[in-house]
Structures are given as structure tokens and as C-alpha cells.
Amino acid sequence: MVYRLWLEQTAKKLRTTKLLVNLITIADKDTYCRKVFDRFRVYACMMKSILIGLVKVYQAIVSPYFPNACRYTPTCSQYAIEAIRKHGAVRGGWLGLKRISRCHPWGGHGYDPVP
């Protein structure tokens, strides 16, 4: 739990709000953000957590109202989550947007893993 204490001390040093501390705690639970040693990585893990949270909110609130017509496996939202976890917020977000732009009736179909 030394890691958690370090996160709390870092959050205090950065004079952050309670929301930022909560986001760091969420990043702490993410297996891809376990070893955070500098400020840049803390912010990178927070951005990943925020983007993944937005996709999960979409999956929980918006997605149930649309028909299940995804042409690819895994679904576009699951692909975006995997891409963000694997490649980070910027490149993973870009890969997710590219995938969403390909998901139309004249696009491809089938199994499309994250590169």
C-alpha cells in the first residue's frame, strides 16, 4: 500500500481537488496504471480513466436505446476501451474514432482486433 500513500501525497502536493484524488484512485484500480512514478504518468492514467469512463457511460446509458447492429467484433465501444488501455489516451482515442468512422453499411465487417 506504499503506492497508494504515494498517490495521496502526490495529490496533496499538486493541490488537487477531491475529484482529482478520486480519478487517481480509479487509475490505481486500473491494471495498466499500476506503476505511476511521475506527474506526467499520473495525468496520462487519469486521461485514460476519464476516456474509459466516458465510453462506459455511453455503453450503459446511450447504447441500450440503439439496435444491436455492430458489424465488427469486438464492438466499437469495446474496441475503444481496449485501444485506450493498450495505446494510451491520445493514440487509443484516435484508433477508437477511426473504428467508429469505419462502422457504416459500406464499411468492412468481421473480427478486427486492436493493433
Side-chain angles (χ1 to χ4, degrees):
M1 287 291 124
V2 174
Y3 172 68
R4 187 169 187 82
L5 291 173
W6 180 84
L7 276 175
E8 291 172 0
Q9 290 172 354
T10 304
K12 288 177 186 175
K13 286 180 186 176
L14 296 174
R15 297 180 185 158
T16 57
T17 62
K18 187 170 182 163
L19 175 65
L20 188 57
V21 173
N22 289 339
L23 289 174
I24 290 173
T25 305
I26 291 169
D28 180 35
K29 293 177 183 175
D30 191 358
T31 58
Y32 298 96
C33 297
R34 289 277 178 195
K35 296 181 179 177
V36 179
F37 295 109
D38 58 4
R39 188 179 296 182
F40 175 75
R41 288 190 182 179
V42 169
Y43 291 135
C45 287
M46 285 179 6
M47 282 304 300
K48 285 168 58 171
S49 298
I50 290 169
L51 289 177
I52 290 171
L54 289 174
V55 173
K56 289 189 178 193
V57 165
Y58 165 78
Q59 286 178 334
I61 296 174
V62 179
S63 182
Y65 293 107
F66 290 106
N68 189 8
C70 193
R71 302 175 58 84
Y72 290 104
T73 303
T75 63
C76 294
S77 55
Q78 191 60 37
Y79 180 92
I81 290 173
E82 290 177 20
I84 291 167
R85 284 185 175 160
K86 186 173 182 180
H87 295 290
V90 176
R91 185 160 188 253
W94 176 249
L95 288 171
L97 288 174
K98 280 176 43 178
R99 168 69 177 273
I100 291 169
S101 68
R102 287 185 303 191
C103 193
H104 54 79
W106 302 279
H109 63 280
Y111 181 66
D112 183 25
V114 176

